[in-house]
């Protein structure tokens, strides 16, 4: 009888926690009470620890979850026996199986499946001091980044600093000590490529010919719809352009319309004569400072502050100047605040930027400064003695040999600020003036590493700024030939994504449209999004060898050639030499 009772007890308890070990089945098989308990657990984790958990996630009560930061996308599971600490950000449909260890700084893309007894170790001990015991020496963290649709087998070890590309496979027992290319299958200790899931011997189903046809089809459709797209953003009162229908006119919207019309129609926007539109833009320039302020309620610019440090007018230096250039005109007045600046003022402005945590804003300021000096030269205005030399000298001296860029990478944004700031700073300086960038190969390495960050480059998370800011540096450094196959592969992938972002008759939104982000206002089509993505498409297509399919080439703010090539007067890079006509 006793034996019967024991057997009965075992029969009742055996398998009660099986769903903790097969969590992908939980929401389909669990009883209602267990589901309520899981919801309650997740509410506690969110309220007390600030964790962010998507729909139909599961976190086993038999797991050890001690993270400072934890973000799990929809349908992502943490099984029994898993040990999580540090910072983990995971996309949708990820599985962290039994007895998996995920520690340190770790990012998972979408659909990452991790086998049992695997360790992702996004930190490391130092051992610089042989007289100090290991446990007393400081830790370092570079972080681990794993792309979309990656299969990590059982008993795998991934060490700190490793990036794993999309669609890769890490075979059971692999010890991964260096980056894994997208589509590679790696195994062994240390892991090496043993075959390809996609890649050299398993090409993508989308052939280059298919992409070429898609590019040509997109270009034809965009040109056919150009007038309808531009008319959508034209204000009924005064005919000024707005970034979105119903919004107030802005300075930038007029310039974006000029750029779009030039790309797709080969001239000014319909309904407007180039001379009339140029006079409107010229009239908005403040004669005293040379700057263009934001439009007020009376649709006239608010007088800008007389300083080279005003960030609100910086982009107008770029967009108004290039819009006028496309219209066959130029600024009516010198950009006096920049012409009056000294080399010391330039250096002080550079030193005053927050390069460590705000590299994008710093690059934005550099872009405006360099472009203002460019327009003054075009007008025949003499800038302050040594200002251009001070600008380039500071940038050359302060470029990081490790990244080729300026600023410092780190969480919570990773390389975003550094790469985006690099685009803005080099667009206005090295690219615009036709000079080679320093550390070109390191720039390529940095941009390619950043492009694997699924927070910004998964299809649903892309925006025009982030994609432009990797496309342009790669185009700028393309003649180095360094990692050319990797660059071309990335360009093809991002180009394919970009073509799908177009909304017929409306253009591009700043952020990629996707069902999961339909409520985000930036996904709605706009003039800014359309202007930027059209330039992005050209840069990516050119990197992929397909730009001839587009039938357009940027001539304005995103022109690939140095703007200095079209200077009619003396070329400041070569005293006494006149610039060739561009």
């Amino acid at each position: 009888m006793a034996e019967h009772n024991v057997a009965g007890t075992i029969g009742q308890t055996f398998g009660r926690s099986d769903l903790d070990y097969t969590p992908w089945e939980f929401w389909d098989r669990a009883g209602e009470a267990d589901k309520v308990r899981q919801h309650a657990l997740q509410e506690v984790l969110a309220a007390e620890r600030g964790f962010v958990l998507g729909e139909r996630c599961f976190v086993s009560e038999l797991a050890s979850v001690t993270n400072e930061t934890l973000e799990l996308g929809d349908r992502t599971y943490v099984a029994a026996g898993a040990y999580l600490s540090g910072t983990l950000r995971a996309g949708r449909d990820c599985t962290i199986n039994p007895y998996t260890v995920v520690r340190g700084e770790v990012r998972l893309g979408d659909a990452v499946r991790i086998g049992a007894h695997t360790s992702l170790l996004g930190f490391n001990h130092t051992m610089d001091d042989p007289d100090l015991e290991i446990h007393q020496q400081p830790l370092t963290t570079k972080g681990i980044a794993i792309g979309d649709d990656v299969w990590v087998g059982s008993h795998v070890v991934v060490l700190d600093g490793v990036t794993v590309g999309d669609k890769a496979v890490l075979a059971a027992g692999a010890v991964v000590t260096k980056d894994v290319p997208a589509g590679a299958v790696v195994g062994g200790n240390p892991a090496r490529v043993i075959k390809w899931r996609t890649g050299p011997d398993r090409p993508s189903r989308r052939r280059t010919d298919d992409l070429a046809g898609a590019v040509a089809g997109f270009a034809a459709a965009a040109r056919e719809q150009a007038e309808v797209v531009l008319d959508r953003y034209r204000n009924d009162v005064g005919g000024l352009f707005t970034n979105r229908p119903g919004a107030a006119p802005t300075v930038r919207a007029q310039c974006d319309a000029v750029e779009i019309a030039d790309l797709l129609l080969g001239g000014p926007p319909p309904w407007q004569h180039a001379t009339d539109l140029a006079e409107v833009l010229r009239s908005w320039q403040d004669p005293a400072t040379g700057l263009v302020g934001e439009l007020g309620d009376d649709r006239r610019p608010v007088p800008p502050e007389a300083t080279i440090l005003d960030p609100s007018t910086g982009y107008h230096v770029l967009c108004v100047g290039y819009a006028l250039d496309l219209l066959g005109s130029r600024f009516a007045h010198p950009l006096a605040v920049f012409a009056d600046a000294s080399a010391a003022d330039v250096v002080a402005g550079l030193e005053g930027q927050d390069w460590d945590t705000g590299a994008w804003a710093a690059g934005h300021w550099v872009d405006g400064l360099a472009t203002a000096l460019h327009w003054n030269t075009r007008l025949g205005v003499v800038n302050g003695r040594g200002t251009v030399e001070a600008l380039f000298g500071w940038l050359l001296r302060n470029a990081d040999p490790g990244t080729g860029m300026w600023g410092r990478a780190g969480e919570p944004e990773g390389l975003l600020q550094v790469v985006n700031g690099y685009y803005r700073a080099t667009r206005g300086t090295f690219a615009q003036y036709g000079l080679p960038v320093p550390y070109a190969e390191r720039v390529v390495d940095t941009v390619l590493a950043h492009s694997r960050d699924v927070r910004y480059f998964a299809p649903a998370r892309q925006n025009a700024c982030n994609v432009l800011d990797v496309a342009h540096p790669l185009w700028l450094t393309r003649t180095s030939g360094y990692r050319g196959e990797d660059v071309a592969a990335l360009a093809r992938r991002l180009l394919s994504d970009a073509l799908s972002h177009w909304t017929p008759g409306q253009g591009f939104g700043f952020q990629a449209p996707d069902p999961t982000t339909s409520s985000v206002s930036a996904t709605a089509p706009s003039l800014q999004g359309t202007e930027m993505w059209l330039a992005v498409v050209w840069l990516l297509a050119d990197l992929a060898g397909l730009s001839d399919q587009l039938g357009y080439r940027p001539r304005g703010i995103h022109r690939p050639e140095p703007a200095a090539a079209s200077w009619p007067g003396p070329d400041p890079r070569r005293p006494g030499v006149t610039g060739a006509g561009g």
Side-chain angles (χ1 to χ4, degrees), residues 215-225 549-550:
V215 170
F218 159 76
R223 279 191 291 272
E224 182 180 347
Q225 300 167 30
Q549 301 294 322
L550 284 170

Side-chain angles (χ1 to χ4, degrees), residues 448-511:
L448 290 176
H450 175 53
S451 72
R452 294 191 290 268
D453 192 328
V454 294
R455 294 177 294 177
Y456 311 116
F457 297 101
R461 302 175 192 176
Q462 295 168 11
N463 68 44
C465 181
N466 294 343
V467 179
L468 172 64
D469 295 0
V470 301
H472 188 272
L474 292 176
W475 194 90
L476 193 60
T477 56
R478 73 201 183 286
T479 55
S480 70
Y482 181 65
R483 299 185 66 179
E485 291 185 2
D486 293 335
V487 170
L490 173 64
R492 288 192 294 270
R493 176 171 69 82
L494 293 177
L495 176 59
S496 180
D497 291 343
L499 299 180
S500 69
H501 300 339
W502 177 268
T503 299
Q506 301 181 41
F508 287 108
F510 178 75
Q511 183 173 330

